[in-house]
Amino acid sequence: MKFRSPFILSMLLIGTGTIYGCSDNQTTARESDSQSKQAINYGHVKKPEKITEFFTLSYEDDLKSSPLTQSYRGIKWDYDKWDDLSPEAEEARIELLKQRLETLNSFDQSEFTAQQKLSFILYKQDIERRLANDEFRAHSYVMQQLSGWHTRIPSFMINIHKISTLSDAQDYISRLNKVDVLFEQLIAQLQLREDAGVFPPKWSYDQMIQASANVISGNPFEEKPNDSTLLADFKEKLDSLGLSNAEKSGLINQLNDALLNSVKPAYENMIATLTKQRALSPEGDGVWRLPQGDKWYQNRLAWYTTTDLDAQQVHDLGLLHVERIHNQMQAIMQQVGFTGTLQEFFVFMRNDPQFYYENTPEGKQEYLNQAKALIDDMKTRLPEYFGLIPQADIRVKAVEAFREQTAGKAFYQSPAVDSSRPGTYYANLYKMDAMPTYQMAALAYHEGIPGHHMQRSITQELDGIPEFQKYLSFTAFTEGWGLYSEELAKDMGLYQDPYADFGRLAMELWRACRLVVDTGIHDKQWSKKQAIDYLVENTPNAESDAIKAIERYIALPGQATAYMIGKLKIMALREKAQKTLGDRFSYADFHDQVLKNGPIPLNVLEQQIDAWIADVASR
């Protein structure tokens, strides 16, 4: 699933949001380039007269300060640059947040509209959450095997840095010429964490080192028949520009220089740093092994779930729902006539070839085709259940080869608002025995429609709310909606095949088990093997799936707990609305109420739904 955030702002825990996409306004931005570098400092300028002005100015300031966020949103102001990852920039960002909070609290709320009051609450809560993170500034894994900068750079250049003009191609080269400076800043951040005693587990270094070596393999780094990932991408993108052979050759030579003189030494220095730090990493897997690891983990649970649940409460909640879902699975096992234990049924579902496509290019393409067909069918069913329907299109794509060994099972990337880039559901087809067909429907509904694509595209297209509000990070809401969408599809009459319904339950079981293993790893000092064994024993998923999942939960402490907790809250609110409103309840009205304000914390969602229920009931 998608772990989405602006690069510096998320990795250093001072980010502005998690969803990307906007319009391209390169010419205007280039003309005002010098102005775009001037950060607004609310401690030294006149306070904006209106809260809407404050929201607009701060959003624009954040956008100007992050070239990567600009690119994600389809803007080419600083198309040749990376974000500033230096400790100095991080400190300046925190000071700016403090100044903004002071300014925010000086406004007279009695004059606010209802929308302004909600936006005020969200803006303030977002700042307070990020300032609370600052106590643990050095605890985040600025490099880890799942989505570290070593794979993020090629992924960004391939998927986000589009080349539609000669200037775009020159910016592509210029960006890669600056990778050495970017990695110097990253290595400085790694040194700060080394000084603080914060390291990811030893095994993750092996994966990071190997993935880094993959990026600098192939031409021009070494004489091989194949081009490196970045060179191949650049050549393919140049083909669409209609350049002469001489022009293309000149640009490719410039790119090769950037790869050899900036990218290669940067990655070699990173590999050396990672190799050194691997030897220093303490034994164990969870954050309990780090200084103040228990407090850091509670911070992570609060951040991702937007609740005050502690580790034991989350663990117990997981055990409760694992038992519930096991009981539902046993009913399906009886329905299909399988004789044996539930664990034996898991082995059957895990190993029987009828549930898997061949691990061949043809088999992988068939998986993508069927996933697209599921999403296309769902599109036709939306009007009965939704008033708000996104305009943005969605595509289904396999995870690229250079990162498929370490990437998650599936994830989603938001579209550009100007439709220059559709939303993308990525399926990881590295091992087809980890992608059973009986889970295909639930996975497509979660990542595509009515899941992440629905929620995030609607958010980007909303009118009447401040721009900052569209890009806030409340994982329990976003991932809770994705998991809720899997069950919503059953309410819509899908999963008629019992094996497909088993797949839906298997996906929900996976999220319930996450509550158990995430707290087990980070609070109860479970080993990686112990957590993997729990998933293998309690779910039908392949062992390779379990290994990759546990490695992800170790890299992102607390994140995996957001899904089930968010889904349970949305389901509880829907059940409350159905019970209270009776015949006046409408799926479309309920879903529009959930989605109409963008991502919000669960406590605010509950307040909004309660107010809606009271309003409808009083009519």
Side-chain angles (χ1 to χ4, degrees), residues 1-2 4 19-20 375-376 378-379 382 386 388-396 411-417 419 421-426 442-462 477-479 481-483 485 595:
M1 316 301 165
K2 173 120 185 287
R4 300 159 292 275
I19 310 171
Y20 312 105
I375 290 172
D376 289 343
M378 177 60 78
K379 288 179 182 178
L382 293 179
F386 291 89
L388 295 170
I389 296 177
Q391 299 300 309
D393 199 5
I394 179 173
R395 63 182 174 181
V396 182
F411 49 93
Y412 174 77
Q413 179 178 285
S414 298
V417 173
S419 300
R421 184 184 70 247
T424 304
Y425 159 31
Y426 283 95
L443 199 58
Y445 301 147
H446 180 111
E447 301 295 348
I449 296 175
H452 288 324
H453 179 70
M454 189 89 175
Q455 182 258 312
R456 290 181 178 145
S457 296
I458 286 173
T459 296
Q460 289 186 166
E461 296 167 9
L462 286 173
F477 176 91
T478 302
E479 296 296 355
W481 175 263
L483 183 52
S485 296
L595 299 175

Coordinates of all heavy atoms in Angstrom, one line a residue, residues 1-2 4 19-20 375-376 378-379 382 386 388-396 411-417 419 421-426 442-462 477-479 481-483 485 595:
M1 N 0.8 -1.2 0.0 CA 0.0 0.0 0.0 C 0.9 1.2 0.0 O 2.0 1.2 0.4 CB -0.9 0.0 1.2 CG -1.5 -1.3 1.5 SD -2.5 -1.9 0.2 CE -2.7 -3.6 0.7
K2 N 0.1 2.2 -0.5 CA 0.9 3.3 -0.7 C 1.3 4.0 0.5 O 0.6 4.3 1.4 CB 0.1 4.3 -1.5 CG 0.9 5.6 -1.6 CD 1.2 6.0 -2.9 CE 2.0 7.1 -3.1 NZ 1.9 8.2 -3.1
R4 N 2.7 7.3 1.1 CA 2.9 8.5 0.3 C 3.2 9.7 1.1 O 2.5 10.0 2.0 CB 1.6 8.8 -0.5 CG 1.1 7.7 -1.3 CD -0.3 7.8 -1.6 NE -1.2 7.6 -0.5 CZ -1.6 6.6 0.0 NH1 -1.3 5.5 -0.6 NH2 -2.2 6.4 1.0
I19 N -0.3 13.6 -0.7 CA -0.9 13.3 -2.0 C -0.4 14.4 -3.0 O -0.2 15.5 -2.7 CB -2.4 13.4 -1.9 CG1 -2.9 12.5 -0.7 CG2 -3.1 12.9 -3.2 CD1 -4.4 12.7 -0.4
Y20 N -0.2 13.9 -4.2 CA 0.5 14.8 -5.1 C -0.3 15.0 -6.4 O -1.1 14.2 -6.8 CB 1.9 14.2 -5.5 CG 2.7 13.8 -4.4 CD1 2.8 12.4 -4.1 CD2 3.3 14.7 -3.5 CE1 3.5 12.0 -3.0 CE2 4.0 14.3 -2.5 CZ 4.1 12.9 -2.2 OH 4.9 12.5 -1.1
I375 N -11.6 -3.1 -12.1 CA -11.8 -1.7 -11.9 C -12.8 -1.1 -12.9 O -13.6 -0.3 -12.5 CB -10.4 -1.0 -11.9 CG1 -9.6 -1.4 -10.7 CG2 -10.6 0.5 -12.0 CD1 -8.1 -0.9 -10.8
D376 N -12.7 -1.5 -14.1 CA -13.6 -1.0 -15.1 C -15.1 -1.4 -14.8 O -16.0 -0.6 -15.0 CB -13.3 -1.5 -16.5 CG -12.0 -0.9 -17.1 OD1 -11.6 0.2 -16.5 OD2 -11.4 -1.5 -18.0
M378 N -16.2 -1.9 -11.8 CA -16.6 -1.1 -10.6 C -17.1 0.3 -11.0 O -18.0 0.8 -10.4 CB -15.5 -1.1 -9.6 CG -15.7 -0.3 -8.3 SD -17.2 -0.8 -7.3 CE -16.5 -2.2 -6.5
K379 N -16.4 0.8 -12.0 CA -16.8 2.2 -12.4 C -18.3 2.3 -12.7 O -18.9 3.3 -12.5 CB -16.0 2.6 -13.6 CG -14.5 2.9 -13.4 CD -13.8 3.3 -14.7 CE -12.3 3.5 -14.5 NZ -11.6 3.8 -15.7
L382 N -20.7 2.8 -9.5 CA -20.5 3.8 -8.6 C -21.7 4.7 -8.4 O -21.9 5.1 -7.2 CB -19.3 4.7 -9.0 CG -17.9 4.0 -9.0 CD1 -16.8 5.0 -9.4 CD2 -17.6 3.5 -7.6
F386 N -22.4 6.5 -4.7 CA -21.6 7.8 -4.5 C -22.2 8.9 -5.3 O -22.7 8.8 -6.4 CB -20.1 7.6 -5.1 CG -19.3 6.7 -4.2 CD1 -19.3 5.3 -4.5 CD2 -18.5 7.1 -3.2 CE1 -18.5 4.4 -3.8 CE2 -17.8 6.3 -2.4 CZ -17.8 4.9 -2.7
L388 N -20.3 12.0 -5.1 CA -19.0 12.5 -5.6 C -18.3 11.4 -6.4 O -18.0 10.3 -5.8 CB -18.1 13.0 -4.4 CG -18.7 14.2 -3.6 CD1 -17.8 14.4 -2.4 CD2 -18.6 15.4 -4.5
I389 N -18.0 11.6 -7.7 CA -17.3 10.7 -8.5 C -16.1 11.4 -9.2 O -16.3 12.4 -9.8 CB -18.2 10.0 -9.6 CG1 -19.3 9.2 -8.8 CG2 -17.5 9.2 -10.5 CD1 -20.4 8.6 -9.8
P390 N -14.9 10.8 -9.1 CA -13.8 11.6 -9.6 C -13.7 11.6 -11.1 O -14.2 10.7 -11.8 CB -12.6 10.8 -9.1 CG -13.1 9.4 -8.9 CD -14.5 9.6 -8.5
Q391 N -13.1 12.6 -11.7 CA -12.9 12.8 -13.1 C -11.6 12.1 -13.6 O -11.5 11.7 -14.7 CB -12.9 14.3 -13.5 CG -14.2 15.0 -13.2 CD -15.4 14.4 -13.9 OE1 -15.4 14.2 -15.1 NE2 -16.4 14.1 -13.1
A392 N -10.6 12.0 -12.7 CA -9.3 11.5 -13.0 C -9.4 10.0 -13.4 O -10.2 9.3 -12.8 CB -8.4 11.7 -11.9
D393 N -8.6 9.6 -14.4 CA -8.6 8.2 -14.8 C -7.6 7.5 -14.0 O -6.8 8.1 -13.2 CB -8.2 8.2 -16.3 CG -8.6 6.8 -16.9 OD1 -9.2 6.0 -16.2 OD2 -8.2 6.6 -18.1
I394 N -7.6 6.2 -14.1 CA -6.7 5.3 -13.4 C -6.1 4.2 -14.3 O -6.8 3.8 -15.2 CB -7.4 4.6 -12.2 CG1 -6.4 3.7 -11.4 CG2 -8.6 3.8 -12.6 CD1 -7.0 3.1 -10.1
R395 N -4.8 3.9 -14.1 CA -4.2 2.9 -14.9 C -3.6 1.8 -13.9 O -3.4 2.1 -12.7 CB -3.0 3.4 -15.7 CG -1.9 4.0 -14.9 CD -0.8 4.6 -15.7 NE 0.2 5.3 -14.9 CZ 1.3 5.9 -15.4 NH1 1.5 6.0 -16.7 NH2 2.1 6.6 -14.6
V396 N -3.4 0.6 -14.4 CA -2.9 -0.5 -13.6 C -1.5 -0.8 -14.2 O -1.3 -1.0 -15.4 CB -3.7 -1.7 -13.7 CG1 -3.1 -2.9 -12.8 CG2 -5.2 -1.4 -13.2
F411 N 0.4 -0.7 -4.3 CA 0.3 0.6 -3.7 C -0.2 1.5 -4.8 O -0.4 1.1 -6.0 CB 1.7 1.2 -3.2 CG 2.8 1.0 -4.1 CD1 3.2 2.0 -5.0 CD2 3.6 -0.2 -4.1 CE1 4.3 1.8 -5.9 CE2 4.7 -0.4 -5.0 CZ 5.0 0.6 -5.8
Y412 N -0.5 2.7 -4.5 CA -1.2 3.7 -5.4 C -0.5 5.0 -5.4 O 0.1 5.5 -4.4 CB -2.6 3.9 -4.9 CG -3.4 4.9 -5.6 CD1 -3.9 4.7 -6.9 CD2 -3.6 6.2 -5.1 CE1 -4.6 5.6 -7.6 CE2 -4.2 7.2 -5.9 CZ -4.8 6.9 -7.1 OH -5.4 7.9 -7.8
Q413 N -0.5 5.6 -6.6 CA 0.1 6.9 -6.8 C -1.0 7.8 -7.4 O -1.6 7.5 -8.4 CB 1.3 6.9 -7.7 CG 1.9 8.2 -8.0 CD 3.1 8.1 -8.9 OE1 4.2 7.6 -8.5 NE2 3.0 8.5 -10.2
S414 N -1.2 9.0 -6.7 CA -2.2 9.9 -7.1 C -2.0 10.5 -8.5 O -0.9 10.7 -9.0 CB -2.4 11.0 -6.1 OG -2.7 10.5 -4.8
P415 N -3.1 10.9 -9.2 CA -2.9 11.6 -10.5 C -2.5 13.0 -10.4 O -2.6 13.6 -9.3 CB -4.3 11.5 -11.1 CG -5.2 11.5 -9.8 CD -4.5 10.8 -8.8
A416 N -2.1 13.6 -11.5 CA -1.9 15.1 -11.5 C -3.3 15.7 -11.7 O -4.1 15.2 -12.4 CB -1.0 15.4 -12.7
V417 N -3.5 16.8 -11.1 CA -4.8 17.5 -11.2 C -5.1 17.9 -12.6 O -6.3 17.9 -13.0 CB -4.8 18.7 -10.2 CG1 -6.1 19.5 -10.4 CG2 -4.7 18.2 -8.8
S419 N -4.7 16.3 -15.2 CA -4.9 15.1 -16.0 C -3.7 14.7 -16.9 O -3.8 13.8 -17.7 CB -6.1 15.2 -16.9 OG -7.3 15.4 -16.1
R421 N -1.2 13.1 -15.8 CA -0.8 11.8 -15.3 C -2.0 11.2 -14.6 O -2.5 11.8 -13.7 CB 0.4 12.0 -14.3 CG 1.0 10.7 -13.8 CD 2.1 10.9 -12.8 NE 1.5 11.4 -11.5 CZ 1.8 12.6 -11.0 NH1 2.6 13.5 -11.7 NH2 1.3 13.0 -9.8
P422 N -2.4 10.0 -15.0 CA -3.5 9.4 -14.3 C -3.1 8.8 -12.9 O -1.9 8.7 -12.6 CB -3.9 8.2 -15.2 CG -2.6 7.9 -15.9 CD -1.8 9.2 -16.0
G423 N -4.1 8.5 -12.1 CA -3.8 7.7 -10.9 C -3.2 6.3 -11.3 O -3.6 5.8 -12.4
T424 N -2.4 5.8 -10.5 CA -1.7 4.5 -10.9 C -1.8 3.5 -9.7 O -1.4 3.8 -8.6 CB -0.2 4.7 -11.2 OG1 -0.1 5.7 -12.2 CG2 0.4 3.4 -11.7
Y425 N -2.4 2.3 -10.0 CA -2.4 1.2 -9.1 C -1.3 0.3 -9.5 O -1.2 -0.2 -10.6 CB -3.8 0.5 -9.2 CG -3.8 -1.0 -8.7 CD1 -2.9 -1.4 -7.7 CD2 -4.6 -1.9 -9.3 CE1 -2.9 -2.7 -7.3 CE2 -4.7 -3.2 -8.9 CZ -3.8 -3.6 -7.9 OH -3.8 -4.9 -7.5
Y426 N -0.3 0.2 -8.6 CA 0.9 -0.6 -8.9 C 0.7 -2.0 -8.2 O 0.4 -2.1 -7.0 CB 2.2 0.0 -8.2 CG 2.7 1.2 -9.0 CD1 2.4 2.5 -8.7 CD2 3.6 0.9 -10.1 CE1 3.0 3.6 -9.4 CE2 4.2 2.0 -10.8 CZ 3.8 3.3 -10.4 OH 4.4 4.3 -11.2
A442 N -10.3 -7.8 -4.1 CA -10.2 -6.9 -2.9 C -9.1 -6.0 -3.1 O -9.1 -4.8 -2.7 CB -10.1 -7.8 -1.7
L443 N -8.0 -6.4 -3.6 CA -6.8 -5.6 -3.8 C -7.1 -4.5 -4.8 O -6.7 -3.3 -4.6 CB -5.6 -6.5 -4.3 CG -4.2 -5.9 -4.1 CD1 -3.9 -5.6 -2.6 CD2 -3.2 -6.9 -4.7
A444 N -7.8 -4.8 -5.9 CA -8.1 -3.8 -6.9 C -9.1 -2.7 -6.3 O -8.9 -1.5 -6.6 CB -8.7 -4.4 -8.1
Y445 N -10.0 -3.2 -5.5 CA -11.0 -2.2 -4.9 C -10.3 -1.4 -3.9 O -10.6 -0.2 -3.7 CB -12.1 -3.0 -4.3 CG -12.9 -3.9 -5.2 CD1 -13.5 -5.1 -4.8 CD2 -13.1 -3.6 -6.5 CE1 -14.2 -5.9 -5.6 CE2 -13.7 -4.4 -7.4 CZ -14.3 -5.6 -7.0 OH -15.0 -6.4 -7.8
H446 N -9.3 -1.9 -3.2 CA -8.6 -1.1 -2.2 C -7.7 0.0 -2.8 O -7.8 1.1 -2.5 CB -7.7 -2.0 -1.3 CG -6.9 -1.3 -0.3 ND1 -7.2 -1.5 1.1 CD2 -5.9 -0.5 -0.3 CE1 -6.3 -0.7 1.8 NE2 -5.5 -0.1 1.0
E447 N -6.9 -0.5 -3.8 CA -5.9 0.5 -4.4 C -6.6 1.4 -5.4 O -6.1 2.5 -5.7 CB -4.7 -0.3 -5.0 CG -4.0 -1.2 -4.0 CD -3.2 -0.4 -3.0 OE1 -3.1 0.9 -3.1 OE2 -2.8 -1.0 -2.0
G448 N -7.6 0.8 -6.1 CA -8.2 1.6 -7.2 C -9.5 2.2 -6.8 O -9.6 3.2 -6.1
I449 N -10.6 1.6 -7.3 CA -12.0 2.1 -7.1 C -12.8 1.0 -6.4 O -12.8 -0.2 -6.8 CB -12.6 2.4 -8.5 CG1 -11.9 3.5 -9.2 CG2 -14.1 2.8 -8.3 CD1 -12.4 3.9 -10.5
P450 N -13.5 1.4 -5.3 CA -13.7 2.7 -4.8 C -12.7 3.1 -3.7 O -13.1 4.0 -2.8 CB -15.1 2.6 -4.2 CG -15.2 1.2 -3.7 CD -14.3 0.3 -4.7
G451 N -11.5 2.6 -3.7 CA -10.5 2.8 -2.6 C -9.7 4.1 -2.8 O -10.2 5.2 -2.9
H452 N -8.4 3.9 -2.9 CA -7.5 5.1 -2.9 C -7.7 6.0 -4.0 O -7.7 7.2 -3.9 CB -6.0 4.6 -2.9 CG -5.6 4.0 -1.6 ND1 -6.0 4.5 -0.4 CD2 -4.8 3.0 -1.3 CE1 -5.5 3.8 0.6 NE2 -4.7 2.8 0.1
H453 N -7.9 5.5 -5.2 CA -8.1 6.4 -6.4 C -9.4 7.2 -6.2 O -9.3 8.4 -6.5 CB -8.2 5.6 -7.7 CG -8.4 6.4 -8.9 ND1 -7.5 7.2 -9.4 CD2 -9.5 6.6 -9.7 CE1 -7.9 7.9 -10.4 NE2 -9.2 7.5 -10.6
M454 N -10.4 6.6 -5.7 CA -11.7 7.3 -5.5 C -11.5 8.4 -4.5 O -11.8 9.6 -4.7 CB -12.7 6.3 -5.0 CG -14.1 6.9 -4.9 SD -14.9 6.6 -6.4 CE -16.6 7.2 -6.0
Q455 N -10.9 8.1 -3.3 CA -10.8 9.0 -2.2 C -9.8 10.2 -2.6 O -10.1 11.4 -2.4 CB -10.3 8.3 -1.0 CG -10.2 9.2 0.3 CD -8.7 9.6 0.5 OE1 -7.9 8.7 0.6 NE2 -8.5 10.9 0.8
R456 N -8.7 9.8 -3.1 CA -7.6 10.8 -3.4 C -8.0 11.7 -4.6 O -7.7 12.9 -4.6 CB -6.3 10.2 -3.5 CG -5.8 9.6 -2.2 CD -4.5 9.0 -2.2 NE -4.2 8.5 -0.8 CZ -3.5 7.4 -0.6 NH1 -3.0 6.6 -1.5 NH2 -3.2 7.1 0.7
S457 N -8.5 11.1 -5.6 CA -8.9 11.9 -6.7 C -10.0 12.9 -6.4 O -10.0 14.1 -6.8 CB -9.3 11.0 -7.9 OG -8.3 10.3 -8.4
I458 N -11.0 12.4 -5.6 CA -12.1 13.3 -5.2 C -11.5 14.5 -4.4 O -11.9 15.6 -4.5 CB -13.1 12.5 -4.4 CG1 -14.0 11.7 -5.3 CG2 -14.0 13.5 -3.6 CD1 -14.9 10.7 -4.6
T459 N -10.6 14.1 -3.5 CA -10.0 15.2 -2.6 C -9.3 16.2 -3.5 O -9.5 17.4 -3.3 CB -8.9 14.5 -1.7 OG1 -9.6 13.6 -0.8 CG2 -8.2 15.6 -0.9
Q460 N -8.5 15.8 -4.5 CA -7.8 16.8 -5.3 C -8.8 17.7 -6.1 O -8.5 18.8 -6.5 CB -6.9 16.0 -6.3 CG -5.7 15.4 -5.6 CD -4.7 14.8 -6.6 OE1 -3.6 14.5 -6.3 NE2 -5.1 14.6 -7.8
E461 N -10.0 17.1 -6.4 CA -10.9 17.8 -7.3 C -12.0 18.7 -6.5 O -12.8 19.3 -7.0 CB -11.7 16.8 -8.2 CG -10.7 16.1 -9.1 CD -11.3 14.9 -9.8 OE1 -12.6 14.7 -9.6 OE2 -10.6 14.1 -10.5
L462 N -11.9 18.6 -5.1 CA -12.8 19.3 -4.3 C -12.7 20.9 -4.5 O -11.6 21.4 -4.6 CB -12.6 19.0 -2.8 CG -13.0 17.6 -2.3 CD1 -12.6 17.4 -0.9 CD2 -14.6 17.4 -2.5
F477 N -7.4 7.6 8.3 CA -8.5 7.9 7.4 C -8.3 7.3 6.0 O -9.1 6.7 5.4 CB -8.7 9.4 7.3 CG -9.7 9.9 6.3 CD1 -11.0 10.1 6.8 CD2 -9.4 10.1 5.0 CE1 -12.0 10.5 5.9 CE2 -10.4 10.5 4.1 CZ -11.7 10.7 4.6
T478 N -7.1 7.6 5.4 CA -6.8 7.2 4.0 C -6.8 5.7 3.9 O -7.5 5.1 3.0 CB -5.5 7.8 3.6 OG1 -5.6 9.2 3.7 CG2 -5.2 7.5 2.1
E479 N -6.0 5.0 4.7 CA -5.9 3.6 4.6 C -7.2 2.9 5.2 O -7.5 1.8 4.7 CB -4.7 3.1 5.3 CG -3.4 3.6 4.7 CD -3.2 3.1 3.2 OE1 -4.0 2.3 2.7 OE2 -2.2 3.5 2.6
W481 N -10.1 4.1 4.7 CA -11.1 4.1 3.6 C -10.7 3.0 2.6 O -11.7 2.3 2.1 CB -11.0 5.5 2.9 CG -11.9 5.5 1.7 CD1 -11.5 5.3 0.4 CD2 -13.3 5.6 1.6 NE1 -12.5 5.3 -0.5 CE2 -13.7 5.5 0.3 CE3 -14.3 5.8 2.6 CZ2 -15.0 5.6 -0.1 CZ3 -15.6 5.9 2.2 CH2 -15.9 5.8 0.8
G482 N -9.5 2.7 2.3 CA -9.1 1.7 1.4 C -9.6 0.3 1.9 O -10.2 -0.5 1.1
L483 N -9.4 0.0 3.2 CA -9.9 -1.3 3.7 C -11.4 -1.3 3.8 O -12.0 -2.3 3.5 CB -9.3 -1.5 5.1 CG -9.6 -2.8 5.8 CD1 -9.3 -4.0 4.9 CD2 -8.8 -2.9 7.1
S485 N -13.3 0.1 1.7 CA -13.8 -0.1 0.3 C -13.9 -1.6 -0.1 O -14.7 -2.0 -0.9 CB -12.9 0.6 -0.7 OG -12.9 2.0 -0.4
L595 N -16.1 11.9 2.5 CA -15.0 12.3 1.6 C -15.0 13.8 1.3 O -14.0 14.3 0.7 CB -15.2 11.5 0.2 CG -15.1 10.0 0.3 CD1 -15.4 9.4 -1.1 CD2 -13.8 9.6 0.8

